[in-house]
Amino acid sequence: MTKKRIAVIGGGVSGLTSIKCCLDEGLEPVCFERTDDIGGLWRFQENPEEGRASIYKSVIINTSKEIMCFSDYPIPAHFPNFMHNSYVLEYFRMYAKEFDLLKYIRLKTTVCSVKKQPDFSTSGQWEVVTESEGKKEVNVFDGVMVCTGHHTNAHLPLESFPGIEKFKGQYFHSRDYKNPEKFTGKRVVIIGIGNSGGDLAVEISHTAKQVFLSTRRGAWIMNRVSDYGYPFDVVLFSRFKRFLMKIVGDSLVNAYLEKRMNERFNHEMYGIKPKHRFLNQHPTINDDLPNRIISGFVKVKGNVKEFTETAAIFEDGSREDNIDAVIFATGYSFAFPFLEDSVKVVKNRVSLYKKVFPPNLEKPTLAIIGLVQPLGAIMPISELQGRWVTQVFKGLKTLPSQSQMMREIDEAQRQIDTRYVESQRHTIQADYIDAMEELAELLGVRPNLLSIAFTDPKLALQLILGPSTPIQYRLQGPGKWAGARNAILTIEERVRKPMMTRKVESSSSISSTITMAKLMLAAVLFAIIITYV
């Protein structure tokens, strides 16, 4: 039987794992990457390329290696827990080499259009037009996986900032920022307090005369380093803690998390406290911002009302003169122009079943991979999406009726609108554990905790109390990996390894405290298992 041919659009993280998912299911992938290399967002280049995501030289990822790894390829133990972009790219190259993915990628090839074949209602096939070195080529594919990401098109709302056209200094989107040297001795306004805005404020404040960080709403600032020095997501993202959060409700969770944030530094005193609660907006991850504020190098301001030729006037009436540069860290928009009418994006909103499948197609042969904004890592979510999608393409999994899919899409959108403050960045939000569990259930790889508790209680305890690693979705079901159990039970070793570069006398006090806590919590094991099965 002839293998189904699948077009994979984009050679970044979602594209790479989609290629592997196709190969695992016996499909024939052809990946089209418009640039001359893989890596997508995580391949730093000094000069931004049109139509490609762009990062600054110092970017460090906000999710730790144990939470962001691919499920059957753990990140090396000696790699830092929070990796510089160069380490992230190196890991992706290792992954591509390990599973021999590069030979399926056509570099310097742009996808011009993706159209239904005339017999689409029966064949589900797509005509894909590509262009490489000035030559166009037409191919027919049995399925299409779109992996172009959502950090490509800069959102630059200049219409919201009267007078910017008269401003004599330089202004640009954070996408075009690369390093702080050009701002030496200057007065800089940064608009936006998301992850990019916070990072740029900190970095530029080391060379600039003064940095002003302008925010409409404020933000809750989280630290990468959590209890006992562990990565925050290793501490927070566990089945047990997710279970507790659902039991106590959002109000108590907000109160607890906000207390923790304010114990680090008082958000009100620092001028950052938002009106919304912690769970109502994607938080900002930044270790150094409060240090730069308390030392005066960064001053937090409200929203800019207007610009003059040399000044920024804020909504509270205050004014900062002699401004040399304005950087808009105002996020991104996404679009799929090559898909024409198959997927419509309106104000960063798109109707997709489980954030993956357009519900209006006669055949489920088009999927969007990685169009999600989790508090947590996107890589393993993209991987689970790819595993599910390739099974749908093969006919091993089916989708509900169009009406059922639309009802679920509407309900998911209602939940987002109810929970989050209105913002362009909140249209594709998801909770990491919930998103992973939902996809794992659809795929049939969610661990059976009750069964594991009787056959392997040590592993069951780790699955409930330990970090919610992607590796757990290789324990059972399609794509089972023999190395999964050992990889899960050695997470602690990989977390500690990169920090322990000097030999010191070990202290048993902390480890014994943690062990005792685990033993005490073991009593609730079966209650949680019953809840989940």
Side-chain angles (χ1 to χ4, degrees):
M1 184 178 177
T2 305
K3 289 184 177 181
K4 287 189 174 184
R5 298 181 73 229
I6 308 298
V8 178
I9 304 175
V13 54
S14 296
L16 291 174
T17 194
S18 292
I19 296 171
K20 182 180 179 296
C21 291
C22 286
L23 296 173
D24 289 346
E25 291 296 336
L27 304 173
E28 183 182 327
V30 180
C31 177
F32 302 106
E33 167 56 45
R34 66 183 298 166
T35 69
D36 61 359
D37 202 356
I38 65 169
L41 172 71
W42 293 101
R43 180 164 60 86
F44 169 78
Q45 284 195 304
E46 198 67 48
N47 299 310
E49 295 179 50
E50 184 64 32
R52 177 179 171 267
S54 178
I55 56 174
Y56 35 100
K57 193 171 184 177
S58 62
V59 165
I60 294 173
I61 198 163
N62 288 330
T63 52
S64 72
K65 66 181 182 181
E66 293 304 321
I67 301 299
M68 65 163 277
C69 69
F70 294 117
S71 60
D72 55 357
Y73 194 67
I75 295 172
H78 67 278
F79 275 34
N81 282 284
F82 289 101
M83 298 184 289
H84 181 263
N85 61 83
S86 58
Y87 277 99
V88 177
L89 181 59
E90 183 180 351
Y91 172 63
F92 293 159
R93 293 197 191 282
M94 292 166 60
Y95 179 78
K97 183 179 180 180
E98 175 72 18
F99 298 106
D100 199 17
L101 307 181
L102 295 180
K103 65 183 181 183
Y104 300 98
I105 303 175
R106 298 184 186 179
L107 299 174
K108 298 182 180 179
T109 304
T110 300
V111 174
C112 304
S113 66
V114 176
K115 297 179 180 178
K116 296 178 183 176
Q117 282 283 87
D119 63 346
F120 180 84
S121 60
T122 55
S123 71
Q125 292 182 323
W126 299 86
E127 177 191 272
V128 178
V129 179
T130 58
E131 183 175 351
S132 180
E133 298 180 346
K135 295 180 181 179
K136 286 195 174 182
E137 185 179 340
V138 180
N139 285 280
V140 175
F141 290 93
D142 299 294
V144 177
M145 302 173 78
V146 179
C147 310
T148 51
H150 53 88
H151 290 100
T152 300
N153 305 319
H155 176 58
L156 192 60
L158 298 181
E159 69 281 357
S160 299
F161 298 91
I164 189 66
E165 71 283 351
K166 296 183 289 186
F167 179 65
K168 289 186 175 181
Q170 64 176 148
Y171 64 89
F172 56 89
H173 191 273
S174 58
R175 179 184 185 276
D176 298 316
Y177 171 84
K178 294 299 172 181
N179 58 68
E181 280 72 25
K182 66 167 64 176
F183 302 102
T184 300
K186 295 186 176 181
R187 289 164 60 83
V188 182
V189 172
I190 296 173
I191 295 177
I193 198 172
N195 290 322
S196 294
D199 282 354
L200 267 58
V202 167
E203 183 165 277
I204 293 173
S205 71
H206 286 279
T207 59
K209 183 177 182 180
Q210 184 65 60
V211 171
F212 302 96
L213 181 56
S214 169
T215 172
R216 281 185 302 166
R217 282 189 293 263
W220 294 104
I221 311 295
M222 289 187 70
N223 202 0
R224 288 183 178 89
V225 183
S226 187
D227 300 347
Y228 300 106
Y230 283 83
F232 81 92
D233 48 6
V234 166
V235 173
L236 288 179
F237 294 173
S238 73
R239 273 192 169 86
F240 177 69
K241 289 187 176 175
R242 185 62 185 148
F243 171 75
L244 286 183
M245 288 174 67
K246 289 182 177 180
I247 291 296
V248 303
D250 287 354
S251 180
L252 284 178
V253 171
N254 278 321
Y256 171 75
L257 291 173
E258 288 165 15
K259 180 177 182 294
R260 291 293 302 271
M261 299 302 103
N262 281 319
E263 283 173 351
R264 181 182 172 221
F265 73 95
N266 187 315
H267 282 53
E268 182 177 354
M269 183 168 71
Y270 278 60
I272 289 178
K273 182 183 177 182
K275 293 180 180 178
H276 58 266
R277 306 301 302 272
F278 181 87
L279 294 176
N280 299 139
Q281 182 177 3
H282 199 90
T284 296
I285 312 295
N286 198 294
D287 302 87
D288 302 317
L289 184 58
N291 298 331
R292 303 309 289 172
I293 294 173
I294 201 170
S295 56
F297 292 103
V298 174
K299 294 183 178 181
V300 180
K301 304 289 290 186
N303 196 37
V304 174
K305 180 181 179 181
E306 63 177 310
F307 288 99
T308 69
E309 292 181 347
T310 59
I313 302 172
F314 299 89
E315 289 183 348
D316 62 2
S318 63
R319 174 189 180 107
E320 296 295 343
D321 292 305
N322 302 316
I323 299 300
D324 299 293
V326 179
I327 303 176
F328 290 87
T330 45
Y332 295 84
S333 60
F334 57 85
F336 309 103
F338 51 86
L339 291 179
E340 299 184 344
D341 292 333
S342 298
V343 176
K344 294 183 179 179
V345 181
V346 179
K347 295 182 179 179
N348 255 31
R349 292 176 181 263
V350 60
S351 290
L352 296 172
Y353 177 64
K354 305 301 182 185
K355 295 183 171 64
V356 175
F357 284 103
N360 57 337
L361 298 177
E362 302 99 312
K363 296 286 185 179
T365 55
L366 172 67
I368 313 297
I369 307 295
L371 190 63
V372 58
Q373 179 78 48
L375 174 55
I378 192 173
M379 297 80 176
I381 294 178
S382 291
E383 182 189 31
L384 271 177
Q385 288 177 337
R387 292 171 68 187
W388 176 47
V389 164
T390 49
Q391 291 231 331
V392 171
F393 284 177
K394 283 188 69 177
L396 300 176
K397 304 292 182 186
T398 58
L399 302 184
S401 66
Q402 180 178 345
S403 60
Q404 177 63 30
M405 286 193 285
M406 285 306 305
R407 281 195 294 271
E408 292 194 33
I409 291 169
D410 291 342
E411 175 59 21
Q413 190 60 59
R414 185 195 66 77
Q415 291 179 10
I416 288 177
D417 292 343
T418 300
R419 171 172 167 180
Y420 293 100
V421 295
E422 185 176 353
S423 170
Q424 180 138 319
R425 73 188 301 207
H426 290 146
T427 57
I428 51 174
Q429 281 293 129
D431 287 317
Y432 172 79
I433 292 180
D434 291 351
M436 296 281 281
E437 290 283 88
E438 181 178 51
L439 288 166
E441 187 71 31
L442 291 167
L443 182 60
V445 297
R446 184 176 168 187
N448 186 325
L449 298 181
L450 185 60
S451 172
I452 295 172
F454 282 110
T455 59
D456 195 342
K458 181 179 180 181
L459 177 61
L461 194 63
Q462 178 69 12
L463 291 175
I464 291 175
L465 301 181
S468 192
T469 167
I471 303 169
Q472 66 184 298
Y473 303 115
R474 292 286 181 178
L475 288 167
Q476 300 170 325
K480 181 179 177 181
W481 174 44
R485 180 183 185 276
N486 182 64
I488 292 170
L489 294 178
T490 53
I491 287 175
E492 175 81 8
E493 296 173 22
R494 291 194 299 278
V495 169
R496 295 168 68 90
K497 172 77 173 177
M499 275 97 71
M500 299 182 69
T501 54
R502 171 179 170 260
K503 192 171 183 178
V504 296
E505 274 190 47
S506 61
S507 171
S508 61
S509 59
I510 291 177
S511 59
S512 62
T513 300
I514 295 172
T515 301
M516 181 60 69
K518 286 186 176 181
L519 289 173
M520 291 172 64
L521 289 170
V524 303
L525 177 63
F526 287 99
I528 299 173
I529 289 173
I530 292 170
T531 303
Y532 274 86
V533 296

